[in-house]
Amino acid sequence: MEINHIYPQIFLQAVDQKTLGNSVIIDVREPHEWEYYHMEEAKLIPMGQIPLRMGELPEDEDIYIVCAHGMRSMRVAEYLKENGFERVINVDGGMAAIGMFRGFQYD
């Protein structure tokens, strides 16, 4: 199964230029990770809650998935694809890469 992905610098450029349209950004980290550092544009849905909260996700918009380093988000993206969500995009490198591009030392 092919999972779409986006490089963090391209993703951040789109966020900053507000060219993501009606898409959503889902952060699948845990609350304590979110409290440490997160994107204001994102919505927190921890990985373990995804199966219970899929009804909160749009089926007709792009869904960008982000985690700490890109591993959990890839697994969530695969899970969503398997469950009928076509427009799922994994953000490579996760919040560690995003932090680096924004001048924040994540790790």
Side-chain angles (χ1 to χ4, degrees):
M1 170 181 356
E2 183 74 25
I3 299 295
N4 293 328
H5 68 95
I6 189 168
Y7 294 112
Q9 61 271 41
I10 295 170
F11 172 69
L12 280 174
Q13 187 175 39
V15 169
D16 291 342
Q17 294 175 356
K18 300 187 182 344
T19 57
L20 292 181
N22 292 327
S23 60
V24 295
I25 303 167
I26 302 298
D27 189 327
V28 297
R29 298 174 303 150
E30 294 301 312
H32 69 276
E33 295 172 287
W34 169 270
E35 289 167 17
Y36 177 63
Y37 182 68
H38 66 270
M39 297 179 67
E40 292 300 324
E41 301 87 354
K43 176 179 183 173
L44 178 66
I45 303 180
M47 182 178 181
Q49 294 179 18
I50 290 290
L52 304 172
R53 297 177 65 184
M54 288 195 313
E56 297 175 36
L57 303 175
E59 293 185 30
D60 58 349
E61 303 290 347
D62 291 338
I63 303 170
Y64 291 87
I65 310 291
V66 65
C67 66
H69 295 95
M71 301 307 293
R72 282 177 283 181
S73 58
M74 179 59 90
R75 294 206 337 251
V76 169
E78 290 169 348
Y79 178 82
L80 291 175
K81 270 294 246 239
E82 290 168 1
N83 283 278
F85 288 87
E86 294 296 322
R87 298 173 64 176
V88 179
I89 302 136
N90 184 52
V91 179
D92 289 343
M95 290 304 295
I98 289 168
M100 182 186 76
F101 285 107
R102 289 217 165 141
F104 181 85
Q105 183 63 41
Y106 185 81
D107 296 305

